[in-house]
């Protein structure tokens, strides 16, 4: 029997940038508005709640160039989580925040919105496995 | 022989370009007629586009319209008076200025302000891989980027050209009183008697066609940008040259429509 709503790939990575002429709120809202026809009020409430859980309410009206690497990653992650039954694929996350020494921040962000997606895969080079610590053992 | 070869290459390139534009137009028209293209995201983009193109421009557009309209009507009325052709001023105002020059001046203003911006915006999005990002989220580029901009282009052209015509007629009212010592009633009667509704219909259709192409061509050229940032000014420059060529072609075609 097939699932009525199978998992859908939702990419996060430096090669899947935010739209630069839209703020974070619009970037994230777009997914629900386009695929599920949500109203602006519905999406804004939902996205605001998501940003609040990540402690990033203040970036809602900022555009991509004004974000720090961590804020940019969280915006991309939340955008991916907007896909229904999201199977989030994070492609080489340390390309987005190369200055971080380990994956603590990444895992914290995933924990913060863990109910918004089905599964998550992190793809990276094998020589980066030290950065992921216990995740790779 | 070399000259002939170069000419042939140029002709092939022009025909290819025209063919590509028409194929892309066909694809866009099909999406324009498809109800599924009008989801919430597309409608939001449309509202934003109408605000940027038609509302934000209003103060500047009105100021320019008053200046252009007063100059144009003033010169034409003064010339008609000098030549002793004052009785034709209604036909000149409606037949030439309102239905021909008004759409042309409006399309030039919209091209300078909006077409160039659309071309650069799409080229930057392509260069930054933002279009790839949209595709990876299964967002149809034609539905999300092209359809709202095209509808906005057509709507804005019709509305702004109508506004320009209203300003022209208001200027005509003022200047006819000054130059021909004409009352409001006489002016209104002359305008109504000189109005050909088929000409107004053709002018409105022409505005919509202008709006379609001055939006479609910049988008198509913007989509040709590559990953290199240096491709952005090249695509914008080529796009704008093609937009001006399209304006000339539409103007000639509309003239032919009037002749036959």
């Amino acid at each position: 029997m097939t699932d009525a709503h199978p998992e859908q790939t939702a990419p996060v990575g430096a090669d899947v940038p935010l739209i630069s002429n839209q703020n974070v709120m619009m970037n994230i809202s777009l997914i629900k508005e386009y695929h599920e026809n949500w109203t602006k009020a519905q999406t804004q409430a939902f996205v605001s709640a998501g940003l609040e859980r990540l402690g990033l309410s203040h970036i809602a009206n900022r555009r991509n160039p004004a974000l720090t690497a961590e804020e940019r990653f969280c915006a991309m992650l939340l955008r991916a989580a907007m896909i229904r039954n999201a199977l989030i694929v994070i492609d080489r996350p340390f390309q987005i925040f190369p200055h971080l020494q380990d994956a603590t921040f990444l895992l914290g962000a995933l924990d913060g919105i863990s109910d918004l997606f089905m599964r998550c895969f992190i793809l990276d080079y094998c020589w980066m496995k030290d950065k992921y610590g216990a995740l790779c053992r | 022989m070399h000259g002939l070869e170069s000419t042939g290459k140029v002709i092939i390139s022009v025909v290819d370009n025209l063919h590509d534009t028409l194929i892309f137009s066909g694809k866009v028209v099909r999406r324009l007629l498809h109800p599924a293209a009008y989801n919430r995201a597309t409608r939001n983009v449309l509202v934003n586009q109408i605000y940027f193109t038609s509302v934000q421009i209003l103060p500047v557009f009105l100021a320019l319209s008053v200046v252009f309209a007063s100059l144009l009507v003033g010169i034409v009325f003064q010339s008609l008076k000098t030549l002793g052709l004052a009785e034709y001023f209604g036909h000149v105002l409606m037949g030439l200025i309102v239905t021909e020059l008004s759409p042309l001046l409006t399309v030039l203003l919209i091209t300078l302000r909006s077409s160039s911006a659309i071309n650069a915006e799409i080229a930057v999005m392509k260069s930054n891989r933002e279009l790839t990002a949209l595709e990876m989220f299964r967002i149809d580029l034609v539905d999300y980027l092209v359809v709202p901009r095209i509808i906005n282009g057509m709507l804005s052209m019709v509305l702004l050209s109508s506004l320009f015509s209203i300003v022209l007629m208001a200027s005509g009212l003022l200047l006819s009183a000054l130059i021909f010592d004409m009352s409001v009633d006489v002016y209104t009667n002359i305008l109504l008697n000189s109005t050909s509704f088929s000409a107004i219909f053709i002018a409105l259709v022409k505005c919509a066609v202008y709006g379609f192409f001055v939006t479609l061509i910049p988008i198509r050229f913007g989509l040709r940008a590559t990953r290199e940032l240096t491709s952005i000014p090249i695509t914008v420059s080529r796009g704008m040259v093609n937009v001006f060529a399209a304006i000339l072609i539409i103007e000639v075609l509309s003239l032919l429509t009037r002749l036959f």
Side-chain angles (χ1 to χ4, degrees):
Chain A
M1 201 172 116
T2 55
D3 189 343
H5 298 293
E7 285 179 329
Q8 298 185 79
T9 317
V12 175
D15 290 335
V16 195
L18 296 171
I19 308 302
S20 53
N21 63 1
Q22 295 186 347
N23 60 31
V24 168
M25 175 64 77
M26 289 162 84
N27 263 288
I28 302 171
S29 302
L30 168 63
I31 308 296
K32 288 286 185 199
E33 285 171 3
Y34 185 88
H35 289 294
E36 296 176 45
N37 225 19
W38 281 24
T39 64
K40 208 169 189 170
Q42 281 176 309
T43 48
Q44 284 193 346
F46 193 65
V47 174
S48 296
L51 285 170
E52 208 172 310
R53 283 160 67 176
L54 293 170
L56 293 171
S57 302
H58 59 284
I59 67 165
N61 293 316
R62 287 193 197 156
R63 291 186 178 192
N64 191 16
L67 302 174
T68 64
E70 289 91 336
E71 289 168 347
R72 187 171 297 120
F73 172 78
C74 287
M76 287 173 167
L77 184 64
L78 202 51
R79 177 178 65 172
M82 290 297 117
I83 294 273
R84 189 194 285 189
N85 295 336
L87 190 164
I88 294 179
V89 177
I90 305 177
D91 178 28
R92 290 163 293 168
F94 286 96
Q95 277 195 342
I96 303 171
F97 37 71
H99 59 287
L100 295 187
Q101 298 301 310
D102 56 45
T104 313
F105 167 76
L106 164 65
L107 298 177
L110 283 170
D111 271 349
I113 55 162
S114 55
D115 56 317
L116 296 181
F117 57 88
M118 304 288 281
R119 285 191 295 165
C120 175
F121 289 112
I122 301 170
L123 308 178
D124 213 328
Y125 298 114
C126 56
W127 59 80
M128 300 288 282
K129 69 179 180 185
D130 287 347
K131 293 210 174 200
Y132 293 94
L135 270 181
C136 290
R137 290 187 197 112
Chain B
M1 197 62 191
H2 179 70
L4 197 63
E5 197 180 310
S6 307
T7 312
K9 272 184 186 167
V10 169
I11 290 172
I12 288 171
S13 150
V14 168
V15 170
D16 270 353
N17 206 3
L18 194 65
H19 176 257
D20 288 351
T21 302
L22 292 177
I23 295 284
F24 189 55
S25 305
K27 192 178 171 187
V28 171
V29 169
R30 273 199 300 278
R31 290 311 297 174
L32 279 173
L33 300 173
H34 205 290
Y38 300 92
N39 56 58
R40 196 82 63 174
T42 304
R43 294 205 295 268
N44 286 344
V45 176
L46 177 61
V47 171
N48 283 337
Q49 288 293 318
I50 290 176
Y51 175 73
F52 291 137
T53 311
S54 295
V55 181
Q56 250 187 358
I57 198 182
L58 266 182
V60 175
F61 186 81
L62 269 174
L64 282 174
S65 300
V66 169
V67 173
F68 272 124
S70 308
L71 277 173
L72 210 59
V73 174
I75 292 167
V76 169
F77 280 11
Q78 196 60 51
S79 306
L80 288 175
K81 192 181 179 186
T82 312
L83 295 167
L85 298 170
E87 69 269 28
Y88 294 111
F89 100 87
H91 291 286
V92 173
L93 187 68
M94 291 306 292
L96 174 73
I97 302 179
V98 170
T99 57
E100 289 296 331
L101 292 179
S102 167
L104 187 63
L105 287 172
T106 309
V107 77
L108 289 177
L109 287 173
I110 288 200
T111 301
L112 286 171
R113 189 181 181 275
S114 299
S115 301
S116 49
I118 290 173
N119 200 329
E121 180 190 26
I122 301 290
V124 169
M125 287 179 86
K126 180 81 187 294
S127 252
N128 281 345
R129 288 172 297 182
E130 291 169 20
L131 299 184
T132 315
L134 288 174
E135 284 175 327
M136 290 180 89
F137 281 98
R138 293 173 289 282
I139 290 171
D140 188 293
L141 297 184
V142 174
D143 285 1
Y144 180 65
L145 292 176
V146 185
V147 166
R149 282 169 176 77
I150 295 280
I151 294 174
N152 163 60
M154 294 166 75
L155 206 62
S156 298
M157 254 310 293
V158 171
L159 292 176
L160 291 175
S161 180
S162 305
L163 182 66
F164 192 89
S165 300
I166 290 168
V167 173
L168 263 172
M169 286 186 279
S171 300
L173 178 69
L174 196 71
L175 291 167
S176 62
L178 286 174
I179 297 171
F180 299 122
D181 202 20
M182 196 177 278
S183 71
V184 177
D185 286 346
V186 175
Y187 176 78
T188 315
N189 271 335
I190 290 175
L191 276 197
L192 285 175
N193 290 333
S194 321
T195 303
S196 151
F197 287 100
S198 64
I200 290 178
F201 178 74
I202 290 174
L204 289 176
V205 171
K206 189 167 78 173
C207 286
V209 175
Y210 270 145
F212 182 87
F213 283 103
V214 300
T215 318
L216 181 110
I217 294 171
I219 292 174
R220 201 172 77 76
F221 277 84
L223 290 173
R224 286 183 177 181
T226 62
R227 287 290 316 279
E228 290 169 22
L229 290 176
T230 48
S231 70
I232 296 173
I234 296 169
T235 55
V236 173
S237 148
R238 285 187 186 155
M240 295 316 288
V241 168
N242 276 268
V243 166
F244 282 104
I247 290 172
L248 285 179
I249 292 169
I250 294 166
E251 197 56 50
V252 171
L253 288 177
S254 103
L255 190 67
L256 289 175
T257 319
R258 278 165 164 266
L259 289 175
F260 301 107

